[in-house]
Amino acid sequence: MRVAALSDFHIGATRRMDGFRHSEDDFCRFLDTLERDHDEIVLLGDVFQTEHSWSLTRSAMEAELERARSRVPRLWARISRRPYTYVHGNHDAVASTTTMAVETHRIAADDFSIYFVHGHQFDPLLVRARPAAKMATWFSGRVRALRLGRVADWLEHQDIRIKHERFSKEDGPYVAAAKRLMRDHSHDVVVMGHTHVRARVDTPDGTYLNTGTCSMAQFSYVSIDTANRASTLHSAPSST
């Protein structure tokens, strides 16, 4: 069985709020290739950005999700059915009730177990200071609403860079969580997103993989072949 995983599209409710930056046609052509080469494709969270609304109430985020989906109708129609499985992240958690997105996913084939989770569950800032983290996301949305997209891009890039430097090392919280999942549940591979940085760490317990991001016009994904017990990180040039 061949499985692909990709994450962190950050499709926004409006063009100004959007972090995706792909044309719908380009991305659908990219998915054509994935579908030809894989039996299942896992969307590993933050497909949509629902926390840039004026309010962070559930109803406001549900409305933001609906607006974001309506901007990419062909893409949404495609990824909402097989061979796709939607695992939500922190920025699209509301999809768990509106689209039946799941929090985790497991694939077992050829005596090989793969566990998928977005990874925000292991982010120290979200665990210890969730209100502050959500407020930072809301603030970024307000900056975008003021037509200061480049400023918001810079702020978000700094957040990614700092978190990567502090938390994405081999002794960091994501790899530690992956090791626990592999030891406690006999998974061979644990795949996460969230950090926006592609990563692979081979451990005695199994392999930790991070998909990277498909935001900012990037193409990044993980491919796993259960029969050969092989996994590969892929990236391609930006579409812009």
Side-chain angles (χ1 to χ4, degrees):
M1 183 179 189
R2 289 180 58 83
V3 183
L6 57 164
S7 73
D8 295 274
F9 299 4
H10 291 274
I11 300 170
T14 66
R15 184 170 183 175
R16 196 180 305 166
M17 300 297 186
D18 186 62
F20 188 47
R21 313 290 171 83
H22 292 276
S23 77
E24 201 171 7
D25 288 341
D26 284 345
F27 205 74
C28 283
R29 282 191 288 270
F30 166 61
L31 295 181
D32 287 340
T33 302
L34 290 190
E35 289 178 17
R36 282 196 300 267
D37 295 339
H38 298 87
D39 303 295
E40 183 169 349
I41 301 171
V42 180
L43 306 176
L44 206 46
D46 288 358
V47 174
F48 298 99
Q49 174 56 265
T50 70
E51 295 181 334
H52 279 171
S53 57
W54 277 104
S55 167
L56 293 181
T57 62
R58 173 165 287 276
S59 60
M61 289 189 287
E62 287 175 349
E64 201 83 345
L65 175 62
E66 180 57 34
R67 292 171 67 198
R69 283 164 36 185
S70 69
R71 290 187 59 237
V72 287
R74 290 181 292 109
L75 177 58
W76 171 244
R78 185 169 190 162
I79 64 178
S80 60
R81 57 175 172 78
R82 301 295 295 172
Y84 296 88
T85 298
Y86 186 175
V87 176
H88 72 76
N90 53 304
H91 293 305
D92 57 357
V94 70
S96 64
T97 55
T98 58
T99 70
M100 302 306 289
V102 296
E103 185 173 6
T104 65
H105 183 54
R106 176 177 179 258
I107 293 175
D110 303 308
D111 197 29
F112 192 80
S113 176
I114 315 166
Y115 187 79
F116 300 89
V117 60
H118 180 64
H120 65 281
Q121 299 89 339
F122 316 115
D123 183 330
L125 293 182
L126 281 174
V127 170
R128 299 170 189 165
R130 186 172 181 81
K134 289 178 73 70
M135 186 57 63
T137 300
W138 177 86
F139 177 76
S140 176
R142 295 307 91 217
V143 173
R144 292 191 183 282
L146 293 172
R147 301 180 183 272
L148 297 172
R150 291 185 179 181
V151 174
D153 287 347
W154 183 85
L155 290 171
E156 291 167 6
H157 177 74
Q158 297 309 306
D159 178 63
I160 291 166
R161 180 185 62 80
I162 293 168
K163 284 185 176 182
H164 175 65
E165 291 174 354
R166 292 185 62 187
F167 304 138
S168 293
K169 299 174 183 178
E170 292 193 16
D171 60 350
Y174 304 114
V175 178
K179 288 179 178 178
R180 289 194 301 271
L181 289 165
M182 290 183 281
R183 283 195 305 266
D184 296 347
H185 303 284
S186 299
H187 299 306
D188 297 286
V189 176
V190 171
V191 188
M192 300 184 194
H194 185 60
T195 69
H196 288 217
V197 181
R198 292 186 304 132
R200 178 193 184 104
V201 178
D202 294 305
T203 80
D205 301 298
T207 299
Y208 161 75
L209 296 170
N210 194 292
T211 63
T213 179
C214 285
S215 67
M216 302 300 287
Q218 298 176 76
F219 296 101
S220 183
Y221 67 99
V222 165
S223 180
I224 302 171
D225 186 330
T226 62
N228 294 320
R229 306 177 73 85
S231 54
T232 312
L233 294 169
H234 296 272
S235 64
S238 154
S239 61
T240 60

mmCIF file with all atom_site columns, all heavy atoms in Angstrom, residues 185-202:
data_model
loop_
_atom_site.group_PDB
_atom_site.id
_atom_site.type_symbol
_atom_site.label_atom_id
_atom_site.label_alt_id
_atom_site.label_comp_id
_atom_site.label_asym_id
_atom_site.label_entity_id
_atom_site.label_seq_id
_atom_site.pdbx_PDB_ins_code
_atom_site.Cartn_x
_atom_site.Cartn_y
_atom_site.Cartn_z
_atom_site.occupancy
_atom_site.B_iso_or_equiv
_atom_site.pdbx_formal_charge
_atom_site.auth_seq_id
_atom_site.auth_comp_id
_atom_site.auth_asym_id
_atom_site.auth_atom_id
_atom_site.pdbx_PDB_model_num
ATOM 1   N N   . HIS A 1 185 ? 2.264  1.942  21.295 1.00 0.00 ? 185 HIS A N   1
ATOM 2   C CA  . HIS A 1 185 ? 1.223  1.411  20.405 1.00 0.00 ? 185 HIS A CA  1
ATOM 3   C C   . HIS A 1 185 ? 1.785  0.643  19.208 1.00 0.00 ? 185 HIS A C   1
ATOM 4   O O   . HIS A 1 185 ? 1.047  0.309  18.285 1.00 0.00 ? 185 HIS A O   1
ATOM 5   C CB  . HIS A 1 185 ? 0.332  2.556  19.921 1.00 0.00 ? 185 HIS A CB  1
ATOM 6   C CG  . HIS A 1 185 ? -0.306 3.322  21.042 1.00 0.00 ? 185 HIS A CG  1
ATOM 7   N ND1 . HIS A 1 185 ? -1.386 2.838  21.751 1.00 0.00 ? 185 HIS A ND1 1
ATOM 8   C CD2 . HIS A 1 185 ? 0.004  4.525  21.601 1.00 0.00 ? 185 HIS A CD2 1
ATOM 9   C CE1 . HIS A 1 185 ? -1.733 3.714  22.676 1.00 0.00 ? 185 HIS A CE1 1
ATOM 10  N NE2 . HIS A 1 185 ? -0.908 4.746  22.607 1.00 0.00 ? 185 HIS A NE2 1
ATOM 11  N N   . SER A 1 186 ? 3.072  0.389  19.229 1.00 0.00 ? 186 SER A N   1
ATOM 12  C CA  . SER A 1 186 ? 3.729  -0.427 18.193 1.00 0.00 ? 186 SER A CA  1
ATOM 13  C C   . SER A 1 186 ? 3.559  0.149  16.792 1.00 0.00 ? 186 SER A C   1
ATOM 14  O O   . SER A 1 186 ? 3.392  -0.601 15.813 1.00 0.00 ? 186 SER A O   1
ATOM 15  C CB  . SER A 1 186 ? 3.189  -1.873 18.242 1.00 0.00 ? 186 SER A CB  1
ATOM 16  O OG  . SER A 1 186 ? 3.448  -2.464 19.492 1.00 0.00 ? 186 SER A OG  1
ATOM 17  N N   . HIS A 1 187 ? 3.596  1.462  16.678 1.00 0.00 ? 187 HIS A N   1
ATOM 18  C CA  . HIS A 1 187 ? 3.584  2.081  15.355 1.00 0.00 ? 187 HIS A CA  1
ATOM 19  C C   . HIS A 1 187 ? 4.999  2.071  14.785 1.00 0.00 ? 187 HIS A C   1
ATOM 20  O O   . HIS A 1 187 ? 5.985  2.272  15.505 1.00 0.00 ? 187 HIS A O   1
ATOM 21  C CB  . HIS A 1 187 ? 3.086  3.528  15.428 1.00 0.00 ? 187 HIS A CB  1
ATOM 22  C CG  . HIS A 1 187 ? 1.692  3.652  15.950 1.00 0.00 ? 187 HIS A CG  1
ATOM 23  N ND1 . HIS A 1 187 ? 0.635  2.973  15.397 1.00 0.00 ? 187 HIS A ND1 1
ATOM 24  C CD2 . HIS A 1 187 ? 1.195  4.382  16.984 1.00 0.00 ? 187 HIS A CD2 1
ATOM 25  C CE1 . HIS A 1 187 ? -0.470 3.281  16.069 1.00 0.00 ? 187 HIS A CE1 1
ATOM 26  N NE2 . HIS A 1 187 ? -0.160 4.123  17.030 1.00 0.00 ? 187 HIS A NE2 1
ATOM 27  N N   . ASP A 1 188 ? 5.107  1.853  13.488 1.00 0.00 ? 188 ASP A N   1
ATOM 28  C CA  . ASP A 1 188 ? 6.411  1.880  12.827 1.00 0.00 ? 188 ASP A CA  1
ATOM 29  C C   . ASP A 1 188 ? 6.796  3.291  12.397 1.00 0.00 ? 188 ASP A C   1
ATOM 30  O O   . ASP A 1 188 ? 7.981  3.633  12.366 1.00 0.00 ? 188 ASP A O   1
ATOM 31  C CB  . ASP A 1 188 ? 6.394  0.959  11.600 1.00 0.00 ? 188 ASP A CB  1
ATOM 32  C CG  . ASP A 1 188 ? 6.152  -0.486 11.982 1.00 0.00 ? 188 ASP A CG  1
ATOM 33  O OD1 . ASP A 1 188 ? 7.081  -1.114 12.517 1.00 0.00 ? 188 ASP A OD1 1
ATOM 34  O OD2 . ASP A 1 188 ? 5.032  -0.985 11.760 1.00 0.00 ? 188 ASP A OD2 1
ATOM 35  N N   . VAL A 1 189 ? 5.787  4.091  12.059 1.00 0.00 ? 189 VAL A N   1
ATOM 36  C CA  . VAL A 1 189 ? 6.015  5.466  11.603 1.00 0.00 ? 189 VAL A CA  1
ATOM 37  C C   . VAL A 1 189 ? 4.974  6.369  12.253 1.00 0.00 ? 189 VAL A C   1
ATOM 38  O O   . VAL A 1 189 ? 3.793  6.005  12.332 1.00 0.00 ? 189 VAL A O   1
ATOM 39  C CB  . VAL A 1 189 ? 5.923  5.578  10.072 1.00 0.00 ? 189 VAL A CB  1
ATOM 40  C CG1 . VAL A 1 189 ? 6.054  7.032  9.620  1.00 0.00 ? 189 VAL A CG1 1
ATOM 41  C CG2 . VAL A 1 189 ? 6.974  4.725  9.391  1.00 0.00 ? 189 VAL A CG2 1
ATOM 42  N N   . VAL A 1 190 ? 5.392  7.538  12.697 1.00 0.00 ? 190 VAL A N   1
ATOM 43  C CA  . VAL A 1 190 ? 4.470  8.582  13.160 1.00 0.00 ? 190 VAL A CA  1
ATOM 44  C C   . VAL A 1 190 ? 4.685  9.797  12.271 1.00 0.00 ? 190 VAL A C   1
ATOM 45  O O   . VAL A 1 190 ? 5.807  10.261 12.094 1.00 0.00 ? 190 VAL A O   1
ATOM 46  C CB  . VAL A 1 190 ? 4.714  8.941  14.637 1.00 0.00 ? 190 VAL A CB  1
ATOM 47  C CG1 . VAL A 1 190 ? 3.894  10.169 15.027 1.00 0.00 ? 190 VAL A CG1 1
ATOM 48  C CG2 . VAL A 1 190 ? 4.362  7.755  15.535 1.00 0.00 ? 190 VAL A CG2 1
ATOM 49  N N   . VAL A 1 191 ? 3.579  10.307 11.705 1.00 0.00 ? 191 VAL A N   1
ATOM 50  C CA  . VAL A 1 191 ? 3.641  11.435 10.780 1.00 0.00 ? 191 VAL A CA  1
ATOM 51  C C   . VAL A 1 191 ? 2.885  12.619 11.378 1.00 0.00 ? 191 VAL A C   1
ATOM 52  O O   . VAL A 1 191 ? 1.741  12.481 11.817 1.00 0.00 ? 191 VAL A O   1
ATOM 53  C CB  . VAL A 1 191 ? 3.038  11.081 9.409  1.00 0.00 ? 191 VAL A CB  1
ATOM 54  C CG1 . VAL A 1 191 ? 3.305  12.212 8.401  1.00 0.00 ? 191 VAL A CG1 1
ATOM 55  C CG2 . VAL A 1 191 ? 3.584  9.757  8.881  1.00 0.00 ? 191 VAL A CG2 1
ATOM 56  N N   . MET A 1 192 ? 3.532  13.780 11.385 1.00 0.00 ? 192 MET A N   1
ATOM 57  C CA  . MET A 1 192 ? 2.923  15.013 11.879 1.00 0.00 ? 192 MET A CA  1
ATOM 58  C C   . MET A 1 192 ? 3.076  16.129 10.842 1.00 0.00 ? 192 MET A C   1
ATOM 59  O O   . MET A 1 192 ? 3.841  16.005 9.880  1.00 0.00 ? 192 MET A O   1
ATOM 60  C CB  . MET A 1 192 ? 3.581  15.465 13.190 1.00 0.00 ? 192 MET A CB  1
ATOM 61  C CG  . MET A 1 192 ? 3.486  14.482 14.331 1.00 0.00 ? 192 MET A CG  1
ATOM 62  S SD  . MET A 1 192 ? 4.212  15.185 15.851 1.00 0.00 ? 192 MET A SD  1
ATOM 63  C CE  . MET A 1 192 ? 4.333  13.692 16.859 1.00 0.00 ? 192 MET A CE  1
ATOM 64  N N   . GLY A 1 193 ? 2.360  17.206 11.075 1.00 0.00 ? 193 GLY A N   1
ATOM 65  C CA  . GLY A 1 193 ? 2.520  18.453 10.333 1.00 0.00 ? 193 GLY A CA  1
ATOM 66  C C   . GLY A 1 193 ? 2.851  19.549 11.328 1.00 0.00 ? 193 GLY A C   1
ATOM 67  O O   . GLY A 1 193 ? 3.750  19.422 12.132 1.00 0.00 ? 193 GLY A O   1
ATOM 68  N N   . HIS A 1 194 ? 2.101  20.656 11.273 1.00 0.00 ? 194 HIS A N   1
ATOM 69  C CA  . HIS A 1 194 ? 2.105  21.733 12.262 1.00 0.00 ? 194 HIS A CA  1
ATOM 70  C C   . HIS A 1 194 ? 3.329  22.642 12.214 1.00 0.00 ? 194 HIS A C   1
ATOM 71  O O   . HIS A 1 194 ? 3.184  23.861 12.223 1.00 0.00 ? 194 HIS A O   1
ATOM 72  C CB  . HIS A 1 194 ? 1.946  21.154 13.672 1.00 0.00 ? 194 HIS A CB  1
ATOM 73  C CG  . HIS A 1 194 ? 1.819  22.205 14.734 1.00 0.00 ? 194 HIS A CG  1
ATOM 74  N ND1 . HIS A 1 194 ? 0.803  23.132 14.738 1.00 0.00 ? 194 HIS A ND1 1
ATOM 75  C CD2 . HIS A 1 194 ? 2.590  22.474 15.837 1.00 0.00 ? 194 HIS A CD2 1
ATOM 76  C CE1 . HIS A 1 194 ? 0.944  23.920 15.789 1.00 0.00 ? 194 HIS A CE1 1
ATOM 77  N NE2 . HIS A 1 194 ? 2.012  23.559 16.460 1.00 0.00 ? 194 HIS A NE2 1
ATOM 78  N N   . THR A 1 195 ? 4.529  22.099 12.136 1.00 0.00 ? 195 THR A N   1
ATOM 79  C CA  . THR A 1 195 ? 5.721  22.941 12.242 1.00 0.00 ? 195 THR A CA  1
ATOM 80  C C   . THR A 1 195 ? 6.061  23.680 10.947 1.00 0.00 ? 195 THR A C   1
ATOM 81  O O   . THR A 1 195 ? 6.849  24.617 10.961 1.00 0.00 ? 195 THR A O   1
ATOM 82  C CB  . THR A 1 195 ? 6.952  22.123 12.649 1.00 0.00 ? 195 THR A CB  1
ATOM 83  O OG1 . THR A 1 195 ? 7.336  21.259 11.577 1.00 0.00 ? 195 THR A OG1 1
ATOM 84  C CG2 . THR A 1 195 ? 6.670  21.299 13.904 1.00 0.00 ? 195 THR A CG2 1
ATOM 85  N N   . HIS A 1 196 ? 5.511  23.217 9.821  1.00 0.00 ? 196 HIS A N   1
ATOM 86  C CA  . HIS A 1 196 ? 5.798  23.763 8.488  1.00 0.00 ? 196 HIS A CA  1
ATOM 87  C C   . HIS A 1 196 ? 7.211  23.422 7.999  1.00 0.00 ? 196 HIS A C   1
ATOM 88  O O   . HIS A 1 196 ? 7.637  23.952 6.968  1.00 0.00 ? 196 HIS A O   1
ATOM 89  C CB  . HIS A 1 196 ? 5.612  25.278 8.437  1.00 0.00 ? 196 HIS A CB  1
ATOM 90  C CG  . HIS A 1 196 ? 4.184  25.716 8.498  1.00 0.00 ? 196 HIS A CG  1
ATOM 91  N ND1 . HIS A 1 196 ? 3.701  26.793 7.773  1.00 0.00 ? 196 HIS A ND1 1
ATOM 92  C CD2 . HIS A 1 196 ? 3.118  25.238 9.175  1.00 0.00 ? 196 HIS A CD2 1
ATOM 93  C CE1 . HIS A 1 196 ? 2.416  26.951 8.016  1.00 0.00 ? 196 HIS A CE1 1
ATOM 94  N NE2 . HIS A 1 196 ? 2.042  26.016 8.872  1.00 0.00 ? 196 HIS A NE2 1
ATOM 95  N N   . VAL A 1 197 ? 7.922  22.584 8.711  1.00 0.00 ? 197 VAL A N   1
ATOM 96  C CA  . VAL A 1 197 ? 9.298  22.241 8.345  1.00 0.00 ? 197 VAL A CA  1
ATOM 97  C C   . VAL A 1 197 ? 9.406  20.728 8.149  1.00 0.00 ? 197 VAL A C   1
ATOM 98  O O   . VAL A 1 197 ? 9.095  19.960 9.062  1.00 0.00 ? 197 VAL A O   1
ATOM 99  C CB  . VAL A 1 197 ? 10.300 22.691 9.420  1.00 0.00 ? 197 VAL A CB  1
ATOM 100 C CG1 . VAL A 1 197 ? 11.726 22.338 8.991  1.00 0.00 ? 197 VAL A CG1 1
ATOM 101 C CG2 . VAL A 1 197 ? 10.174 24.192 9.672  1.00 0.00 ? 197 VAL A CG2 1
ATOM 102 N N   . ARG A 1 198 ? 9.836  20.315 6.953  1.00 0.00 ? 198 ARG A N   1
ATOM 103 C CA  . ARG A 1 198 ? 9.983  18.880 6.685  1.00 0.00 ? 198 ARG A CA  1
ATOM 104 C C   . ARG A 1 198 ? 11.059 18.296 7.596  1.00 0.00 ? 198 ARG A C   1
ATOM 105 O O   . ARG A 1 198 ? 12.088 18.921 7.844  1.00 0.00 ? 198 ARG A O   1
ATOM 106 C CB  . ARG A 1 198 ? 10.371 18.639 5.228  1.00 0.00 ? 198 ARG A CB  1
ATOM 107 C CG  . ARG A 1 198 ? 9.279  18.992 4.239  1.00 0.00 ? 198 ARG A CG  1
ATOM 108 C CD  . ARG A 1 198 ? 9.660  18.610 2.821  1.00 0.00 ? 198 ARG A CD  1
ATOM 109 N NE  . ARG A 1 198 ? 10.930 19.221 2.434  1.00 0.00 ? 198 ARG A NE  1
ATOM 110 C CZ  . ARG A 1 198 ? 11.931 18.570 1.867  1.00 0.00 ? 198 ARG A CZ  1
ATOM 111 N NH1 . ARG A 1 198 ? 11.830 17.275 1.608  1.00 0.00 ? 198 ARG A NH1 1
ATOM 112 N NH2 . ARG A 1 198 ? 13.033 19.199 1.521  1.00 0.00 ? 198 ARG A NH2 1
ATOM 113 N N   . ALA A 1 199 ? 10.809 17.095 8.087  1.00 0.00 ? 199 ALA A N   1
ATOM 114 C CA  . ALA A 1 199 ? 11.776 16.473 8.990  1.00 0.00 ? 199 ALA A CA  1
ATOM 115 C C   . ALA A 1 199 ? 11.649 14.959 8.940  1.00 0.00 ? 199 ALA A C   1
ATOM 116 O O   . ALA A 1 199 ? 10.560 14.420 8.702  1.00 0.00 ? 199 ALA A O   1
ATOM 117 C CB  . ALA A 1 199 ? 11.563 16.962 10.420 1.00 0.00 ? 199 ALA A CB  1
ATOM 118 N N   . ARG A 1 200 ? 12.771 14.307 9.192  1.00 0.00 ? 200 ARG A N   1
ATOM 119 C CA  . ARG A 1 200 ? 12.804 12.860 9.340  1.00 0.00 ? 200 ARG A CA  1
ATOM 120 C C   . ARG A 1 200 ? 13.801 12.523 10.449 1.00 0.00 ? 200 ARG A C   1
ATOM 121 O O   . ARG A 1 200 ? 14.941 13.001 10.438 1.00 0.00 ? 200 ARG A O   1
ATOM 122 C CB  . ARG A 1 200 ? 13.240 12.185 8.038  1.00 0.00 ? 200 ARG A CB  1
ATOM 123 C CG  . ARG A 1 200 ? 13.345 10.663 8.157  1.00 0.00 ? 200 ARG A CG  1
ATOM 124 C CD  . ARG A 1 200 ? 14.068 10.018 6.988  1.00 0.00 ? 200 ARG A CD  1
ATOM 125 N NE  . ARG A 1 200 ? 14.048 8.582  7.131  1.00 0.00 ? 200 ARG A NE  1
ATOM 126 C CZ  . ARG A 1 200 ? 13.257 7.769  6.444  1.00 0.00 ? 200 ARG A CZ  1
ATOM 127 N NH1 . ARG A 1 200 ? 12.468 8.255  5.522  1.00 0.00 ? 200 ARG A NH1 1
ATOM 128 N NH2 . ARG A 1 200 ? 13.280 6.464  6.672  1.00 0.00 ? 200 ARG A NH2 1
ATOM 129 N N   . VAL A 1 201 ? 13.344 11.732 11.417 1.00 0.00 ? 201 VAL A N   1
ATOM 130 C CA  . VAL A 1 201 ? 14.219 11.265 12.485 1.00 0.00 ? 201 VAL A CA  1
ATOM 131 C C   . VAL A 1 201 ? 13.993 9.762  12.637 1.00 0.00 ? 201 VAL A C   1
ATOM 132 O O   . VAL A 1 201 ? 12.895 9.321  12.985 1.00 0.00 ? 201 VAL A O   1
ATOM 133 C CB  . VAL A 1 201 ? 13.933 11.977 13.822 1.00 0.00 ? 201 VAL A CB  1
ATOM 134 C CG1 . VAL A 1 201 ? 14.849 11.425 14.914 1.00 0.00 ? 201 VAL A CG1 1
ATOM 135 C CG2 . VAL A 1 201 ? 14.122 13.487 13.677 1.00 0.00 ? 201 VAL A CG2 1
ATOM 136 N N   . ASP A 1 202 ? 15.028 8.992  12.362 1.00 0.00 ? 202 ASP A N   1
ATOM 137 C CA  . ASP A 1 202 ? 14.972 7.549  12.544 1.00 0.00 ? 202 ASP A CA  1
ATOM 138 C C   . ASP A 1 202 ? 15.452 7.210  13.951 1.00 0.00 ? 202 ASP A C   1
ATOM 139 O O   . ASP A 1 202 ? 16.537 7.640  14.365 1.00 0.00 ? 202 ASP A O   1
ATOM 140 C CB  . ASP A 1 202 ? 15.843 6.848  11.502 1.00 0.00 ? 202 ASP A CB  1
ATOM 141 C CG  . ASP A 1 202 ? 15.305 7.027  10.085 1.00 0.00 ? 202 ASP A CG  1
ATOM 142 O OD1 . ASP A 1 202 ? 14.127 6.691  9.852  1.00 0.00 ? 202 ASP A OD1 1
ATOM 143 O OD2 . ASP A 1 202 ? 16.061 7.534  9.227  1.00 0.00 ? 202 ASP A OD2 1
#
